[in-house]
């Protein structure tokens, strides 16, 4: 699996971070998007199973999942 976060839309709410059962999503503290938020990022792509928990939880549909 693989996720893609639309960093322009992401508001850094952290709901995807909490929803990920493998805890492999984090807010990118080294980056700020045009809205002034730290966007989410996948920190361990090898472990992603494509479960879609993060995408289902995202209120802004900023996450796309590929399997």
């Amino acid at each position: 699996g693989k996720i893609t976060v639309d960093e322009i839309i992401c508001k850094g709410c952290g709901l995807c971070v909490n929803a990920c059962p493998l805890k492999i999503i984090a807010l990118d503290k080294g980056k700020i998007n045009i809205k002034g938020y730290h966007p989410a990022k996948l920190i361990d792509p090898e472990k992603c199973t494509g479960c879609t928990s993060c995408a289902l939880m995202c209120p802004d549909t900023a996450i796309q999942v590929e399997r």
Side-chain angles (χ1 to χ4, degrees):
K2 175 187 168 191
I3 70 165
T4 304
V5 178
D6 186 335
E7 295 180 356
I8 296 171
I9 297 173
C10 179
K11 64 181 178 205
C13 67
L15 291 174
C16 59
V17 174
N18 294 330
C20 180
L22 300 176
K23 304 299 179 204
I24 56 173
I25 301 174
L27 297 182
D28 189 349
K29 298 298 182 183
K31 189 180 286 188
I32 296 177
N33 66 14
I34 60 173
K35 294 181 181 179
Y37 301 116
H38 296 287
K41 72 173 185 176
L42 186 61
I43 55 174
D44 196 347
E46 297 296 318
K47 291 184 181 176
C48 182
T49 61
C51 72
T52 72
S53 292
C54 56
L56 292 171
M57 188 59 67
C58 183
D60 298 312
T61 59
I63 301 175
Q64 293 204 6
V65 179
E66 296 175 36
R67 292 186 192 179

